[in-house]
Amino acid sequence: MSYTKRDDGRKFDELRKIKAKVGVVKRADGSAMFQMGDTIAIASVYGPRELHPRFLQNPERGVLRCNYDMASFSVTERKKPGPSRRSTEISLVTEKALASVIDLDLFPNTVIDVFIEIIQANAGTRCAGISAAAMALAHAGIPMRDMVAAVSVGKVGDKIVLDLDKEEEDFEEGATDIPVAMTARKREITLLQLDGEVTKDELMEAIKMARKGCEEIYKIQVKTLKEIYKNG
Ligand code: UDP
């Protein structure tokens, strides 16, 4: 089925409006808010700190531990609070999306905890969470080899589109959702999931579009992080 126009008037390769801020959770060692359209993620980082229980410690390197949670009030139909299969999966892929840019060898026996809370959800929450977490890690002063930005791309009807909203994810003919995370300088893909169907050519087009989106997000992440130094 042909998809001719996005409901919110965006071009097919256009991101939703982004807002970002660091230092939103004072008690944390680093924190950030990242909003794409109506999806809002807050990430807070604690550590590196000694890992308990001690048998989980690795004397060679630190452990990155991510915890993704969607608040019960974040969606129209109240979500049952607490962990679920979905949140466990997202926590795990978030960890994998971020771990490769952190120099964990510098922090033996410790853990770096990243808590991601989705306070408002309108699709793309795992990507907003990853973009927020990468900013929070940088804000916490964790040495990072690269920055990570994430965005969802996919196929709605017959079109490849960037940054799907919930309406597009629920498109009547079915949509394909492809969350992508990418490192900024090396342009390495650290997350790629695919829910639906696409041809190989469509997937390549989608990844190209995601790369462009991630580059835009990266610029916002850096600009936001630099602002704290400007403002003291
Ligand atoms: N969603 C919901 N209730 C849930 C889980 C998800 O309403 O229990 C909505 C929410 O808007 C979310 C979207 O469905 O952003 C898509 O969820 P998905 O699992 O595809 O992950 P996401 O796109 O948020 O990374």
Side-chain angles (χ1 to χ4, degrees):
M1 185 182 164
S2 126
Y3 185 58
T4 49
K5 201 169 171 297
R6 301 181 92 168
D7 277 336
D8 58 8
R10 277 186 292 154
K11 287 184 253 152
F12 292 120
D13 62 351
E14 192 176 337
L15 293 169
R16 288 179 282 183
K17 193 168 166 357
I18 293 175
K19 279 190 203 158
K21 198 173 174 197
V22 287
V24 293
V25 180
K26 292 283 175 279
R27 230 180 61 71
D29 295 311
S31 61
M33 182 281 297
F34 191 87
Q35 175 169 9
M36 313 181 79
D38 290 332
T39 290
I40 308 175
I42 292 184
S44 15
V45 171
Y46 298 84
R49 57 187 178 184
E50 199 184 351
L51 176 56
H52 291 284
R54 284 207 168 144
F55 72 85
L56 292 176
Q57 291 183 0
N58 183 339
E60 314 250 293
R61 58 204 316 261
V63 172
L64 176 70
R65 198 162 54 182
C66 294
N67 189 78
Y68 163 102
D69 179 56
M70 210 166 84
S72 53
F73 53 79
S74 65
V75 276
T76 330
E77 196 152 321
R78 183 181 179 276
K79 185 207 144 270
K80 189 167 161 271
S84 61
R85 280 182 63 172
R86 176 178 176 272
S87 69
T88 305
E89 175 216 323
I90 297 179
S91 299
L92 190 73
V93 296
T94 299
E95 241 162 60
K96 292 193 183 301
L98 296 166
S100 68
V101 301
I102 302 170
D103 231 333
L104 289 166
D105 300 1
L106 296 173
F107 308 110
N109 299 322
T110 69
V111 61
I112 299 172
D113 272 309
V114 180
F115 293 96
I116 297 167
E117 192 65 40
I118 305 300
I119 57 167
Q120 197 170 275
N122 184 305
T125 61
R126 75 195 65 202
C127 292
I130 290 169
S131 298
M135 291 177 71
L137 285 163
H139 182 232
I142 310 283
M144 292 164 80
R145 282 186 275 264
D146 211 335
M147 195 59 183
V148 181
V151 69
S152 182
V153 63
K155 188 176 171 191
V156 181
D158 59 343
K159 293 282 184 320
I160 301 296
V161 302
L162 183 64
D163 193 12
L164 283 71
D165 64 17
K166 182 78 178 122
E167 221 167 308
E168 290 180 323
E169 266 197 6
D170 296 341
F171 190 67
E172 52 204 285
E173 301 284 307
T176 300
D177 182 26
I178 311 169
V180 178
M182 227 174 261
T183 60
R185 277 185 301 115
K186 283 204 166 177
R187 293 175 157 204
E188 281 170 348
I189 294 174
T190 61
L191 168 85
L192 182 70
Q193 295 185 284
L194 197 151
D195 183 13
E197 280 180 26
V198 279
T199 65
K200 187 178 164 211
D201 287 346
E202 285 168 342
L203 179 62
M204 295 325 272
E205 186 189 339
I207 292 174
K208 220 164 118 186
M209 202 182 260
R211 173 171 292 158
K212 200 177 140 264
C214 284
E215 279 166 10
E216 281 180 55
I217 292 169
Y218 170 61
K219 282 187 195 142
I220 296 170
Q221 289 174 311
V222 170
K223 185 169 169 275
T224 311
L225 282 159
K226 278 187 178 164
E227 267 161 20
I228 46 169
Y229 298 105
K230 237 190 316 188
N231 303 333

